[in-house]
């Protein structure tokens, strides 16, 4: 009777390392795909939010004859407000659209990073203009920045969007007058 049975049971170190490396490779591929899907989902949300704000602005203009001013007390040609600013929820835009019942809530960018859209930030920017032949309340810009240049086309023919593909930002102007 042999007390010590030398039959080999279990896996060798090499076999375990191969399995672990395969699992690591597969998980990194899956995570990379998941991150791309997440950024494309945020881009889809941005386009949807832009359309909601645009619709609310057009409803406001139908009833009031003008678009709400971004910063009523500020002077100058272009006045801008960003969704990353604390004043976004207390702005004239918020009061006009949410307070007026044109939109339930003024959306913010899914990342909402702080800088202006054209300065690399992920924010929603609402701009109004006056001067150079433009009457206050007759024009506005809505600007967003996409994470993926190829995820969603901004040049949808049903509404006038301009896209700067070098920087992945989309700009909707009510009268196609924009200085960006």
């Amino acid at each position: 009777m042999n007390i010590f049975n030398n039959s080999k049971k279990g896996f060798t170190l090499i076999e375990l390392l191969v399995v672990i490396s395969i699992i690591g490779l597969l998980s990194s591929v899956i995570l990379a795909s998941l991150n791309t899907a997440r950024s494309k989902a945020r881009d889809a949300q941005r386009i949807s939010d832009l359309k909601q704000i645009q619709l609310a602005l057009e409803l406001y203009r139908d009833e009031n004859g003008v678009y709400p001013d971004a910063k009523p007390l500020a002077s100058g040609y272009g006045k801008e407000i960003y969704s990353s600013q604390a004043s976004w929820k207390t702005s004239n835009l918020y009061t006009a659209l949410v307070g007026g019942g044109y939109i339930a809530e003024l959306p913010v960018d899914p990342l909402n990073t702080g800088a202006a859209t054209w300065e690399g930030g992920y924010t929603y920017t609402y701009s109004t203009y006056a001067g150079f032949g433009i009457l206050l309340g007759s024009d506005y810009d809505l600007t967003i920045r996409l994470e993926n240049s190829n995820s969603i086309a901004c040049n949808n023919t049903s509404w006038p969007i301009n896209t700067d593909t070098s920087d992945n930002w989309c700009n909707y102007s009510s009268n196609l007058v924009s200085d960006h």
Side-chain angles (χ1 to χ4, degrees):
M1 175 169 177
N2 188 358
I3 300 177
F4 298 104
N5 189 355
N6 284 338
S7 64
K8 203 173 190 183
K9 295 181 180 179
F11 299 104
T12 66
L13 181 60
I14 298 295
E15 291 169 332
L16 288 173
L17 289 174
V18 167
V19 169
I20 289 171
S21 65
I22 290 171
I23 290 171
L25 180 66
L26 289 174
S27 66
S28 66
V29 168
I30 290 171
L31 286 176
S33 297
L34 184 61
N35 285 337
T36 301
R38 285 181 181 162
S39 67
K40 286 183 178 184
R42 286 190 295 267
D43 283 351
Q45 182 64 49
R46 289 178 179 107
I47 294 291
S48 175
D49 288 348
L50 183 72
K51 288 181 180 182
Q52 288 180 10
I53 296 171
Q54 176 199 7
L55 179 61
L57 285 165
E58 295 303 328
L59 290 171
Y60 179 89
R61 183 174 181 268
D62 281 346
E63 283 191 20
N64 298 286
V66 295
Y67 297 110
D69 192 5
K71 292 183 177 178
L73 300 179
S75 61
Y77 169 65
K79 303 185 230 178
E80 298 151 350
I81 185 165
Y82 313 116
S83 62
S84 60
Q85 295 172 324
S87 59
W88 181 255
K89 297 286 184 170
T90 59
S91 67
N92 188 50
L93 178 66
Y94 184 89
T95 304
L97 299 184
V98 177
Y102 300 102
I103 193 169
E105 187 62 39
L106 200 55
V108 297
D109 186 272
L111 293 177
N112 220 23
T113 58
T117 307
W118 44 89
E119 293 171 355
Y122 290 101
T123 64
Y124 298 159
T125 304
Y126 175 71
S127 308
T128 54
Y129 302 93
F132 301 104
I134 299 172
L135 298 175
L136 182 61
S138 65
D139 186 32
Y140 70 89
D141 280 344
L142 283 174
T143 311
I144 60 172
R145 183 168 180 242
L146 300 178
E147 295 176 62
N148 301 287
S149 61
N150 60 352
S151 65
I152 299 170
C154 292
N155 54 355
N156 190 330
T157 57
S158 65
W159 48 302
I161 289 283
N162 301 325
T163 305
D164 178 357
T165 55
S166 65
D167 200 27
N168 298 339
W169 58 275
C170 301
N171 173 263
Y172 174 81
S173 178
S174 60
N175 291 320
L176 294 178
V177 175
S178 177
D179 63 347
H180 303 305

